[in-house]
Amino acid sequence: EHQHVRYNPLRDDWVLVSAHRVKRPWQGQLEKPAPEDVPRWDPKNPLCPGATRANGEVNPKYEGTFVFPNDFPALQPDAPEPDDSDHPLFRAAPARGVCKVMCFHPWSDLTLPLMSLPEIRAVIDAWAELATELGASYPWVQIFENKGAMMGCSNPHPHCQVWASSFLPNEAHLEDRTQRQHLSQHGVPMLLEYAEQEARRKERLVVENADWLVVVPYWATWPYQTLLLPRRHVCRLQDLSDSERDSLASIMQRLLIKYDNLFEVSFPYSMGWHGAPTGPYLEEDCRHWQLHAHYYPPLLRSATVRKFMVGYEMLAQAQRDLTPEQAAERLRSLPEVHYK
């Protein structure tokens, strides 16, 4: 009931927890829920099998996952170097890379929680394959899914993006520093120790199996944010064993069904994988890293009321309106059979 701040050791920052604020009446913005009548196939949808994309290329009539170069990439492999700076306050550096799109399934009306376990496993295998392929030369490979129009997804088709960059992005650089520091000070990888603690305490646990657990992290910022963690020490997605990939498909399906069941809507979120850097880092000691996935959903009270990161959050620090323990209890109690 009382406000307090919590430390996030992964980002080396703090979040303000104000649980009593969730009781305030809401007269602000109401979101429009995602349409439930998405056609299974639409020739005008550029991600569908056989459809024509913006650049004129025609998609194959794929039956599983499908990967292709992003037609509007944020990173390109042959970008010229910026001009030299004449002042330290006006610095620039080279940025090169590759951006790909990966369709999870040929049907537009499916999302991951509605897919079968073998279909989800195929997505995981494709992720690992891309991480290996692009990670052979690029230091960072960011796999991420923006689900739902509320999170900026412009296309109603199950898909994600994969951006490989010639540099470590800000979040990767920060997590590399904090995890390295924790291993140096405590002799154990931070998120391996954290997973063991959460598995024992259970108050923020959402779902678990023999290889994985999902928690609302102690330092969560978004209302129903979750952290997906392996139980053993593993640095990269491509290092997972065959059985760990099967159990990952299972726990992802369970989590995402709970998400959809929370407000009985196709639950929006941004998610992404973080693992040890690649490229030149493949030859370095990366024992401080622990593979993990972040899920950041924006919904707060219902399918139509979201959390806005504005004002205090932008100018001071992150703030949340219910405790991580309350969020975890609510998610944990939801059924694992999809409401549909």
Side-chain angles (χ1 to χ4, degrees), residues 47-107:
L47 299 187
C48 281
T52 302
R53 303 204 307 275
N55 62 357
E57 290 194 24
V58 178
N59 295 334
K61 294 185 177 179
Y62 62 92
E63 297 181 350
T65 59
F66 170 51
V67 178
F68 63 92
N70 193 315
D71 296 328
F72 303 96
L75 293 163
Q76 297 175 324
D78 53 359
E81 295 205 9
D83 295 334
D84 291 335
S85 172
D86 62 354
H87 192 281
L89 293 178
F90 301 94
R91 290 191 298 167
R96 300 184 178 91
V98 172
C99 297
K100 293 181 179 288
V101 176
M102 187 182 111
C103 296
F104 296 155
H105 197 280
W107 295 356

Side-chain angles (χ1 to χ4, degrees), residues 240-295:
L240 296 175
S241 68
D242 197 60
S243 63
E244 286 171 329
R245 296 185 187 195
D246 282 339
S247 58
L248 174 57
S250 173
I251 204 163
M252 283 176 55
Q253 184 188 61
R254 293 169 62 197
L255 169 65
L256 298 181
I257 286 174
K258 284 179 177 290
Y259 268 163
D260 280 9
N261 285 345
L262 179 60
F263 299 130
E264 294 195 349
V265 67
S266 184
F267 204 68
Y269 58 74
S270 283
M271 71 80 64
W273 285 99
H274 283 173
T278 49
Y281 294 89
L282 292 170
E283 304 300 320
E284 295 189 8
D285 183 359
C286 290
R287 287 177 300 157
H288 55 291
W289 269 92
Q290 174 74 329
L291 175 70
H292 58 284
H294 296 283
Y295 284 84

Side-chain angles (χ1 to χ4, degrees), residues 207-334:
V207 286
E208 64 178 328
N209 61 25
D211 300 312
W212 300 88
L213 68 156
V214 175
V215 300
V216 177
Y218 178 78
W219 52 79
T221 299
W222 293 91
Y224 292 97
Q225 174 182 336
T226 54
L227 184 63
L228 172 57
L229 295 162
R231 291 185 185 272
R232 79 170 176 97
H233 186 204
V234 54
C235 290
R236 301 178 177 93
L237 192 64
Q238 52 268 45
D239 298 334
L240 296 175
S241 68
D242 197 60
S243 63
E244 286 171 329
R245 296 185 187 195
D246 282 339
S247 58
L248 174 57
S250 173
I251 204 163
M252 283 176 55
Q253 184 188 61
R254 293 169 62 197
L255 169 65
L256 298 181
I257 286 174
K258 284 179 177 290
Y259 268 163
D260 280 9
N261 285 345
L262 179 60
F263 299 130
E264 294 195 349
V265 67
S266 184
F267 204 68
Y269 58 74
S270 283
M271 71 80 64
W273 285 99
H274 283 173
T278 49
Y281 294 89
L282 292 170
E283 304 300 320
E284 295 189 8
D285 183 359
C286 290
R287 287 177 300 157
H288 55 291
W289 269 92
Q290 174 74 329
L291 175 70
H292 58 284
H294 296 283
Y295 284 84
Y296 299 128
L299 293 179
L300 173 59
R301 298 170 179 235
S302 69
T304 61
V305 178
R306 67 178 298 179
K307 167 69 175 178
F308 287 92
M309 291 292 182
V310 295
Y312 190 85
E313 290 87 355
M314 295 177 71
L315 296 165
Q317 70 180 35
Q319 180 270 334
R320 60 179 291 119
D321 292 342
L322 75 163
T323 68
E325 293 75 26
Q326 290 170 328
E329 183 180 14
R330 187 164 184 191
L331 288 173
R332 188 168 54 243
S333 65
L334 290 166

Side-chain angles (χ1 to χ4, degrees), residues 121-164:
R121 168 64 196 266
V123 170
I124 293 166
D125 288 339
W127 282 342
E129 187 176 330
L130 279 170
T132 302
E133 174 193 335
L134 297 173
S137 52
Y138 287 102
W140 190 256
V141 180
Q142 184 59 64
I143 298 167
F144 65 97
E145 179 194 4
N146 294 327
K147 180 172 178 274
M150 197 182 300
M151 295 309 291
C153 180
S154 59
N155 197 290
H157 191 95
H159 72 286
C160 73
Q161 298 189 53
V162 184
W163 294 10

